DNA sequence: CTGATGACGAGCG
DNA sequence: CCGCTCGCCATCA
């Protein structure tokens, strides 16, 4: 296993609990990179132990892939975990969004929690 | 080595 | 709400 931004992203995604979701932007802030990179990282997922389906966009929707439509598999897996979708195909983030790792999680991974002060914008 | 490519999101009109 | 622009990483041919 290497080190590198993708590795950090994957480690964070693996921490998202069953039945909950995280947004690309949320993972990005935690990883200290841009939301775009998180999208790239998810597109490159190879290992089966990474719950990529629990990552949705900021509106709570399964994001559209290059084919012009979202991967039905993602929504199917989430519904299997008990995640509900509204008529617009969106998850209620107020209910299902992951709160993020607690302080000790970072220590266990030998990492440091991101600084709160600089609220990273996009990128 | 070079270049194409891919699952986002904030800000602005 | 809609439709731009821009940021700039890892992987594969």
């Amino acid at each position: 296993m290497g080190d590198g931004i993708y590795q950090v992203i994957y480690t964070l995604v693996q921490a998202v609990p069953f039945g909950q979701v995280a947004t690309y932007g949320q993972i990005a802030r935690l990883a200290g990179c841009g939301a775009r990179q998180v999208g790239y990282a998810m597109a490159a997922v190879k290992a089966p132990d990474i719950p990529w389906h629990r990552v949705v966009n900021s509106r709570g929707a399964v994001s559209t892939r290059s084919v012009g439509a979202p991967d039905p598999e993602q929504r199917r897996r989430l519904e299997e975990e008990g995640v509900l979708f509204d008529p617009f195909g969106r998850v209620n983030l107020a209910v299902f969004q992951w709160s993020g790792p607690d302080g000790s999680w970072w220590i266990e991974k030998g990492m440091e929690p991101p600084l709160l002060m600089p609220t990273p914008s996009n990128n």
Side-chain angles (χ1 to χ4, degrees), chain A residues 29-71:
Chain A
R29 283 190 302 277
L30 294 169
C33 70
R36 191 188 188 192
Q37 310 303 350
V38 176
Y40 292 158
M42 291 301 101
V45 165
K46 180 168 62 105
D49 61 326
I50 297 172
W52 53 270
H53 59 284
R54 304 209 258 247
V55 183
V56 297
N57 64 31
S58 64
R59 297 171 320 210
V62 169
S63 90
T64 295
R65 201 161 153 350
S66 59
V67 296
D71 183 352

